[in-house]
Amino acid sequence: MEKQTAGRKALGDFAPQFAALNDDVLFGEVWAKEDELSPKLRSIATVSALVGKGTAGDALRYHLQTARQHGVTKEEMAALLTHLAFYAGWPNAWAAFPVAKEVYADAADAEGRGGFFGLGEPNDAYAKYFTGQSYLKVLSKPGLV
């Protein structure tokens, strides 16, 4: 997981201690313990907690996007939110579904035409080396290998 800086960017000048706790402790230490909980399971737990609290704003959107990046499929998310409706409240699930639909809007298309990682972007820069249209999907960032 890349170093989190959202807290410092959003609140660094106003609440530097909160920003540091968010970036360094919550995301830098707690989320980084992948040997204890996988990123996918941690994302499912986080989405569940946010839905249970009735949070349907930016925090839920961010964690739904993160869940998707960690491998939670559209079908799994729909099943999770349906399950949570009975334990976290029907209105909370109703509020979460539109956000989840937005986050997963292109999931069927991307997952259906590119496997687990999606199709990628048209690879026009190297078109002369391919017959037909090729696509490029970057899976890692430089320096992370």
Side-chain angles (χ1 to χ4, degrees):
M1 183 170 209
E2 68 185 58
K3 182 167 174 57
Q4 177 66 260
T5 59
R8 285 185 175 85
K9 287 179 183 173
L11 297 172
D13 293 337
F14 185 76
Q17 183 181 17
F18 182 89
L21 291 169
N22 180 81
D23 295 351
D24 301 338
V25 178
L26 175 59
F27 287 98
E29 295 178 26
V30 176
W31 268 88
K33 292 185 178 276
E34 294 181 11
D35 58 325
E36 295 176 0
L37 286 176
S38 70
K40 182 176 180 177
L41 186 55
R42 203 172 291 275
S43 286
I44 290 169
T46 302
V47 167
S48 298
L50 292 172
V51 171
K53 294 185 68 58
T55 303
D58 291 339
L60 180 62
R61 181 179 325 286
Y62 170 82
H63 284 288
L64 284 167
Q65 291 167 339
T66 301
R68 184 175 175 189
Q69 292 168 357
H70 289 158
V72 179
T73 66
K74 180 177 89 168
E75 294 76 16
E76 289 172 325
M77 185 55 66
L80 175 65
L81 294 177
T82 300
H83 183 78
L84 288 174
F86 291 93
Y87 292 93
W90 206 260
N92 291 354
W94 263 109
F97 269 113
V99 182
K101 281 179 62 178
E102 181 182 310
V103 168
Y104 284 88
D106 65 341
D109 183 48
E111 291 167 8
R113 292 186 309 142
F116 178 78
F117 296 108
L119 186 60
E121 299 299 319
N123 189 14
D124 297 329
Y126 297 94
K128 65 183 180 182
Y129 300 109
F130 296 94
T131 301
Q133 179 66 58
S134 67
Y135 297 88
L136 178 64
K137 178 71 173 187
V138 177
L139 300 177
S140 64
K141 295 181 181 175
L144 293 179
V145 179

